[in-house]
Amino acid sequence: MMIRRLLIAALLSAPLAACQTAQQPVATADDSAWYVGMMPDKPHNIPLVDRRKMDPKYARQTVEYKGPEKPGSIVVDIDERMLYLVQPEGRAIRYGVGVGKQGFSWRGIASVGRKGVWPNWSPTKTMVGIKPELPRYMEAGLDNPLGARALYLHQNGADTLFRIHGTNEPWSIGEQVSSGCVRMLNEDVADLYERVPVGTTVYVKRNGRYRV
């Protein structure tokens, strides 16, 4: 009961944020039903999602992979709503993700410029221009739209402003709802974070292509 009370309080206090769902539904006590416990982490524990409420295809799993990308690469398929961490011998670890809504999704080749554990968040000028009511800064925590971990995508040494990050909206995995970032369950992004170093190549493709 204590876990549920904490989750409800955090969700109800969460403001609309650009990395969260556009037209975010009002959080209710029923949202706590998405969670089954906590995974120890610092400085906050990670809420564990009840996977029975999700389509099994979005569960983290090892699958066959026939793409040309080298082992260690990250491949995000916007159309499939899947992220692949390429492994040796034609395999990949596959994670379900949420992606940017129509007109906001990005594709291309980038690299992980830096990594963040329970990162703080600030909206871009574009986000503020679209939604002036957004907070200008949010501390790390359960209500932060970047969640438990974030991988910051860079091109040619410059921040693209796109991230692979956790989410406090598990129901959005498999959907096209964000303002461009790739979102994962917090326990999944924490797993990915431990597997990839800074400098990892990231391919984000749409319509089967990642070259603009």
Side-chain angles (χ1 to χ4, degrees):
M1 289 299 296
M2 182 58 67
I3 290 172
R4 290 198 171 194
R5 290 192 187 110
L6 290 172
L7 287 167
I8 293 166
L11 288 166
L12 289 173
S13 66
L16 179 65
C19 284
Q20 291 181 309
T21 306
Q23 299 179 344
Q24 179 185 7
V26 176
T28 68
D30 289 339
D31 294 333
S32 67
W34 276 85
Y35 300 97
V36 293
M38 291 281 191
M39 182 174 77
D41 195 42
K42 293 181 179 180
H44 309 280
N45 291 333
I46 296 176
L48 293 175
V49 171
D50 184 349
R51 301 277 185 155
R52 296 171 298 179
K53 293 185 175 295
M54 302 181 65
D55 189 320
K57 71 180 181 182
Y58 296 121
R60 182 169 71 236
Q61 56 193 287
T62 300
V63 298
E64 182 180 7
Y65 188 78
K66 297 182 178 180
E69 298 83 11
K70 295 181 179 179
S73 302
I74 293 173
V75 180
V76 178
D77 191 312
I78 292 174
D79 301 311
E80 290 185 358
R81 319 289 200 260
M82 297 292 183
L83 182 151
Y84 298 86
L85 177 58
V86 183
Q87 303 292 292
E89 301 179 353
R91 308 292 284 175
I93 301 172
R94 190 181 74 185
Y95 308 79
V97 300
V99 299
K101 59 184 180 290
Q102 190 67 34
F104 285 84
S105 58
W106 175 88
R107 74 176 179 187
I109 304 173
S111 63
V112 177
R114 68 184 181 95
K115 299 169 27 174
V117 175
W118 288 101
N120 300 321
W121 175 81
S122 295
T124 64
K125 291 181 179 179
T126 300
M127 293 174 182
V128 172
I130 296 172
K131 295 185 180 296
E133 71 274 15
L134 286 174
R136 300 305 186 262
Y137 175 82
M138 288 184 67
E139 294 283 351
L142 292 175
D143 59 343
N144 188 297
L146 293 184
R149 303 286 189 275
L151 306 181
Y152 297 77
L153 304 188
H154 288 197
Q155 279 184 327
N156 302 318
D159 190 349
T160 66
L161 302 181
F162 288 93
R163 293 36 177 137
I164 298 170
H165 64 83
T167 182
N168 53 29
E169 299 176 320
W171 50 87
S172 67
I173 299 301
E175 302 295 334
Q176 190 173 8
V177 292
S178 77
S179 292
C181 293
V182 176
R183 59 175 64 182
M184 307 175 68
L185 296 181
N186 279 316
E187 59 259 44
D188 282 353
V189 77
D191 180 81
L192 179 66
Y193 180 98
E194 295 300 325
R195 295 178 185 272
V196 299
V198 170
T200 295
T201 301
V202 181
Y203 301 88
V204 181
K205 64 182 182 179
R206 187 172 65 245
N207 298 326
R209 299 179 180 180
Y210 44 72
R211 295 192 181 276
V212 178

